[in-house]
Amino acid sequence: MQQKSERGNDWGVRRIPAFGRYSYRAKATLAAATYHALRAGRVWLDGRDLLLSLLDEPGGVIGSLLQRLGVDRALLVQTLSRSQQAEAGIWEVDQIREGLTPLARQILSAAVAEADSLQHTRIEPGHLLLGVLACRLSPLMSALPAPEAALSLARAQVSATLQPATTTGQLVGQSIEPELVLLDLERQVQLKIELRQASVRLRLWRLLIVALSVFVLLMLNSKDVLGISLPFDLPNWLVELEHSGPFAWQPLPGWQPLFSVTVLLGVWLLLVVLVLLLIMPSLYQTMIIEGILGQRRDLFWRGWGQAVLAWTGVYLVGVILASLLKALLPFWWWLLLWLVFACFNLGQAAWGKRSFPWNGWPVRQLPSDEVVQRCADQLARRQLQARFYLLGSSVLLPAAILLAAGWAGRLAIYLSETLLLAFPPEEVEAILAITVAPYTTRGLALRRPLLFSLLWLPLLAIVGLAGWLIAPGPLGVELLLLFSLPGLFLALCVGLLCLLAYNLLRIMGTYAYDRQALQLTGNVLAFKNALVRLSNINGQLAGGARFNPLLERLKRADLFLIQQGRQGGESLPSPAEREER
């Protein structure tokens, strides 16, 4: 088993030559290079990414060296940025091995050779620049006035700046360099390949389900579907069935309310089946590829079954309540129903029910240790108290998970065994700070349940207004109108807009919670390490040129550090330390 500090941070040790000799500054240069690759929409490292990361800092050894070589840094950065954008689709993902292109691996090996030739034990960013010069990277060579003499001149400069005596490891009394977690690019490439293959396998299945759904909708809107005449007119038959009952010659008392409940239940079952066929296979395959599910994969489906049964009961109660409200308030019934739904979501969040899919995993009380005590102390600074539970085991749940459920006296923190084994205590504190950021000092977390409730308000408004204006009568009649093509198009447009707004607000909320967590812990490095380690262990794909949540969160953490007026990588004092001062 790996040591605790290496879990989720072993890509450099496995794939980068002589990685154990890298200084913290050199590792930071590699981390910056991976971020440049992610901005270009790639999940592998190229030589241009390494050069861009070396150009990030205009001052210091690299800046003075480039100035002495006669390199126009600003012009070189512009040239590299244009080539990065043009190169994003050149490399085939299947040809990348270990997260490195052949040029990147050649540069890293040359950096080790340059350090050895200068008798330097530690590898610094200056050696990486020597590796770039030794491999004659074309953008840099074109920017040099004298490319033939550049390497020898740079060697002399690096040798004079970095003396062998100061690069022989940790000196007596010198503090140990902090750990810097690098994104596992080898696994990122593997994830990209496997997710793409899974998407291709599921594409035919999705097209079949969508085609079948479109055929059913056409049946509800026309007697002639794709040139095939149906034996009966289904829309008119449903209307007649609503008014006359199953037997036209003998109407049953109370048939319309029964028909309404049947229609509503049928719509719910249709939605459940569509989610099961369209969304759940993709989610299940993604969690398998990411390595989140352990040996007991049936726990995923058990959690899904529990969620469906619970929401089916809520739906049936809501149908009965909506029928009574519509009979009393024909125009405003949908608004009252939404208020009841919002209160239910708040009550469910306050009760502490775990969300899907983690509701299927067993839990047990977590004994007190160093991590639990530090987490309890952090909650105490927020005037919160909680019970701590172990979520599954490393065999049942190989993912690193930390959940918070419940309010006030029912607040419970669930931690997976993988999280406790892989993360140092300060990183667990950072993840906990993000998780409990939505909670107020009274132990309330109103934002998420209210935001989820607001997602459904426009759809309920459409159903309610359609029933009042077009189809007054028992509840459920207006839902048949939504299956008409104009009604269905309107419902889909409103639903997509609501979902887009919900995701946007959720992302902005995540950024706000990150800032609150940084203000609470004050440890920017632990925060960034925790985010990257989570991505490595949980198999989260970090690619995406247009929008990258992981990269944006890391950038905002650096911006927070700059705004606080601290030096890079230095921890900010915690609230408790500020009070003591």
Side-chain angles (χ1 to χ4, degrees):
M1 178 179 294
Q2 296 174 337
Q3 294 181 359
K4 187 171 184 177
S5 61
E6 296 179 355
R7 292 286 299 273
N9 187 28
D10 58 351
W11 174 68
V13 176
R14 290 185 288 110
R15 301 308 180 192
I16 296 180
F19 185 74
R21 296 167 55 187
Y22 274 61
S23 67
Y24 180 84
R25 291 186 295 272
K27 293 177 183 178
T29 301
L30 287 178
T34 60
Y35 302 152
H36 282 295
L38 294 178
R39 291 189 188 97
R42 294 180 281 102
V43 291
W44 56 87
L45 200 61
D46 190 34
R48 292 175 176 84
D49 304 320
L50 292 169
L51 181 54
L52 269 174
S53 64
L54 290 170
L55 297 174
D56 283 342
E57 295 294 336
V61 178
I62 303 299
S64 60
L65 178 56
L66 291 174
Q67 185 177 5
R68 186 170 182 180
L69 294 175
V71 176
D72 188 343
R73 176 185 169 277
L75 181 60
L76 182 57
V77 170
Q78 292 180 0
T79 304
L80 287 170
S81 300
R82 288 195 297 267
S83 64
Q84 288 281 87
Q85 295 175 0
E87 190 202 16
I90 292 178
W91 287 91
E92 288 293 337
V93 181
D94 299 348
Q95 299 176 356
I96 305 299
R97 293 293 177 265
E98 302 173 356
L100 299 169
T101 63
L103 179 59
R105 186 178 291 105
Q106 183 181 0
I107 291 175
L108 296 175
S109 300
V112 178
E114 293 293 334
D116 292 339
S117 65
L118 296 176
Q119 298 181 358
H120 292 171
T121 304
R122 302 284 283 173
I123 298 177
E124 299 286 347
H127 301 118
L128 294 176
L129 181 59
L130 291 179
V132 173
L133 290 170
C135 295
R136 303 184 65 83
L137 191 62
S138 56
L140 181 57
M141 292 293 107
S142 303
L144 290 171
E148 300 300 330
L151 182 57
S152 58
L153 181 62
R155 283 173 179 165
Q157 181 74 11
V158 171
S159 178
T161 306
L162 303 175
Q163 296 296 330
T166 62
T167 57
T168 55
Q170 302 296 334
L171 301 177
V172 178
Q174 184 180 1
S175 60
I176 300 176
E177 291 182 335
E179 181 187 14
L180 181 64
V181 181
L182 297 179
L183 187 65
D184 192 341
L185 296 182
E186 181 181 14
R187 192 176 186 195
Q188 289 289 318
V189 173
Q190 182 182 3
L191 283 171
K192 197 174 186 66
I193 295 174
E194 293 182 359
L195 288 175
R196 184 177 62 180
Q197 294 174 349
S199 177
V200 172
R201 290 194 299 266
L202 293 173
R203 188 175 302 167
L204 181 60
W205 171 255
R206 290 175 178 173
L207 290 176
L208 180 63
I209 300 300
V210 171
L212 182 61
S213 302
V214 171
F215 182 78
V216 172
L217 290 175
L218 292 176
M219 287 178 58
L220 292 173
N221 287 273
S222 175
K223 189 177 179 179
D224 188 9
V225 181
L226 300 178
I228 302 175
S229 299
L230 300 177
F232 59 92
D233 191 349
L234 184 59
N236 291 332
W237 179 76
L238 289 175
V239 173
E240 294 176 359
L241 184 64
E242 174 200 350
H243 292 91
S244 62
F247 306 103
W249 62 87
Q250 186 181 1
L252 297 177
W255 168 251
Q256 283 195 347
L258 180 61
F259 177 80
S260 300
V261 173
T262 304
V263 169
L264 292 169
L265 186 59
V267 170
W268 171 254
L269 293 178
L270 178 62
L271 292 176
V272 171
V273 171
L274 286 177
V275 171
L276 179 62
L277 296 179
L278 286 177
I279 299 178
M280 298 310 296
S282 176
L283 179 61
Y284 180 68
Q285 288 294 329
T286 301
M287 295 183 71
I288 291 178
I289 293 172
E290 292 175 346
I292 294 179
L293 301 181
Q295 297 180 358
R296 291 285 307 277
R297 296 177 180 177
D298 59 301
L299 297 176
F300 173 86
W301 297 110
R302 186 173 76 175
W304 160 252
Q306 292 177 0
V308 169
L309 289 177
W311 281 104
T312 300
V314 173
Y315 181 81
L316 291 177
V317 173
V319 165
I320 298 174
L321 183 60
S323 301
L324 296 176
L325 291 175
K326 188 176 183 182
L328 296 175
L329 300 170
F331 183 77
W332 295 106
W333 68 270
W334 56 272
L335 184 57
L336 293 178
L337 181 64
W338 177 81
L339 291 175
V340 174
F341 177 69
C343 292
F344 167 76
N345 286 328
L346 293 174
Q348 186 183 37
W351 183 256
K353 182 177 177 61
R354 283 177 289 156
S355 59
F356 171 77
W358 315 121
N359 56 332
W361 270 261
V363 298
R364 59 184 175 87
Q365 191 80 26
L366 188 62
S368 179
D369 58 3
E370 178 188 359
V371 176
V372 173
Q373 186 59 44
R374 294 181 66 166
C375 291
D377 294 340
Q378 181 188 122
L379 293 177
R381 295 199 299 268
R382 291 283 311 276
Q383 301 179 13
L384 297 174
Q385 293 183 352
R387 299 180 304 275
F388 293 87
Y389 297 94
L390 186 65
L391 182 64
S393 63
S394 58
V395 177
L396 296 179
L397 186 60
I401 305 297
L402 194 151
L403 303 174
W407 290 357
R410 295 190 58 85
L411 180 59
I413 305 297
Y414 300 92
L415 303 95
S416 65
E417 186 179 22
T418 303
L419 181 82
L420 297 175
L421 292 175
F423 287 72
E426 60 273 11
E427 294 182 20
V428 178
E429 282 189 282
I431 300 174
L432 178 65
I434 301 172
T435 306
V436 300
Y439 287 82
T440 64
T441 54
R442 297 183 179 181
L444 304 179
L446 302 175
R447 179 186 175 92
R448 289 178 178 174
L450 287 180
L451 190 60
F452 179 74
S453 302
L454 286 173
L455 173 67
W456 297 95
L457 180 59
L459 294 177
L460 277 176
I462 290 177
V463 173
L465 295 177
W468 184 73
L469 295 173
I470 303 176
L475 183 66
V477 177
E478 62 272 13
L479 289 182
L480 293 177
L481 298 176
L482 293 180
F483 285 99
S484 63
L485 294 181
L488 181 64
F489 179 76
L490 177 62
L492 286 178
C493 290
V494 173
L496 289 177
L497 288 176
C498 292
L499 189 61
L500 180 62
Y502 173 77
N503 288 330
L504 181 61
L505 292 175
R506 189 180 61 177
I507 291 173
M508 298 306 296
T510 300
Y511 296 153
Y513 299 151
D514 288 348
R515 186 171 184 84
Q516 294 179 26
L518 288 171
Q519 292 174 346
L520 179 64
T521 61
N523 195 334
V524 178
L525 180 59
F527 175 87
K528 296 175 63 176
N529 282 345
L531 292 183
V532 179
R533 201 188 299 269
L534 277 175
S535 180
N536 291 339
I537 293 179
N538 294 346
Q540 300 168 355
L541 188 62
R546 294 184 178 180
F547 177 70
N548 192 310
L550 174 62
L551 198 60
E552 183 66 23
R553 296 176 73 181
L554 294 175
K555 184 176 69 174
R556 289 173 179 264
D558 290 332
L559 181 61
F560 173 83
L561 185 64
I562 295 174
Q563 291 174 348
Q564 296 297 322
R566 309 291 294 189
Q567 297 297 326
E570 184 179 352
S571 299
L572 298 172
S574 64
E577 294 174 347
R578 288 196 292 265
E579 291 177 1
E580 292 178 358
R581 294 179 183 179

